[in-house]
Amino acid sequence: MDFFEVVRTRRSVRSYLDEDVSDGEVRRLLEAAILAPSAGNCQPWEFVIVRDKKRKEALSNAALGQRFVAEAPVVIVVCANVPRTAAHYGSRGANLYVIQDTAAATQNILLAATAMGLATCWVGAFDERRVWEILELPDEVRPLAIIPVGKSRRTPAMPPRIPLERVVHYEKW
Ligand SMILES: Cc1cc2nc3c(=O)[nH]c(=O)nc-3n(C[C@H](O)[C@H](O)[C@H](O)COP(=O)(O)O)c2cc1C
C-alpha cells in the first residue's frame, strides 16, 4: 500500500474478528513505533503487550467501559518513561516532549497496522491511575495510549474533517 493510501484508509476500528494477531505482527508494529522521532532522541517510550483476557477486561473497565478494548486479541499500551527525557529537558521534557514522542510512536503503530491489514483504535479516555495499577508500572512510567489491535469486523466510514481552508494560515493568523 502506498503511504498516502495508508494515511487515508487508517480508521479507528472498534469491532474485531475472533482472529489472533501473531507475536511477529506485534513485533513489526513495535519496530515501526521505535522509528518515531523523539526530543533529543531520548526515546521515552515503553510498551506493555497484553493478551491475558482478565487483564484486557480490567483495561476495558479502566477505559470507561469501552468494550472493544477487551475484545481485541492483543492490546498495546504505550507508556512514557518520564525521567528518560526529563533528565535532559526538565519540566518541558516531562510535560510536553514525552507526550509528543509517545504520540508519534502511537501513530506509527496505527499506520503500520493499516499497512499490514490490521485494525486499531487509539484509546485515550482511561483512568491513568487504574491502568498504572493493572500493569504494575513503576512510579516514573505513565500509560498514555491504549491500542487494541485486531482484524476488522466493521470499518467505519471516515469521520468528516474540518476543511483545510479553515485550519491553514499563511504567514500569520
Ligand atoms: C488522543 C486520542 C484519544 C482518543 N481516545 C479515544 C477513545 O478513548 N475511544 C475511542 O473510541 N476513540 C478514541 N480516539 C479515536 C478518535 O475518536 C478518532 O481518531 C476520530 O474520531 C477520527 O476517526 P478516525 O481515527 O477513524 O480517522 C482517540 C484519538 C486520539 C488521537
Side-chain angles (χ1 to χ4, degrees), residues 10-12 14 66 68 121-125 159 161:
R10 180 211 56 77
R11 286 280 70 74
S12 294
R14 302 176 181 87
Q66 299 187 79
F68 62 92
C121 184
W122 183 327
V123 172
R161 263 35 185 187

Side-chain angles (χ1 to χ4, degrees), residues 147-169:
I147 313 175
V149 185
K151 311 250 164 86
S152 176
R153 181 185 295 280
R154 205 173 36 253
T155 303
M158 186 176 81
R161 263 35 185 187
I162 300 170
L164 194 52
E165 293 66 34
R166 279 181 50 199
V167 294
V168 68
H169 311 274

Side-chain angles (χ1 to χ4, degrees), residues 30 33-34 36-38 42-50 55 59 75-85 93-94 96-107 109 122-124 126-147:
L30 299 175
I34 64 170
S38 63
C42 290
Q43 305 167 62
W45 39 69
E46 307 272 355
F47 307 95
V48 182
I49 313 305
V50 179
R55 193 167 274 118
L59 287 176
V75 175
I76 300 173
V77 183
V78 182
C79 305
N81 188 322
V82 178
R84 196 179 289 155
T85 293
L96 179 64
Y97 296 160
V98 299
I99 312 258
Q100 294 176 320
D101 298 343
T102 52
T106 300
Q107 177 73 346
I109 291 174
W122 183 327
V123 172
F126 58 83
D127 181 329
E128 190 172 319
R129 182 77 202 175
R130 277 177 71 189
V131 171
W132 183 84
E133 284 166 2
I134 292 161
L135 302 180
E136 301 182 30
L137 299 176
D139 282 345
E140 67 278 13
V141 173
R142 280 185 74 184
L144 292 175
I146 295 177
I147 313 175

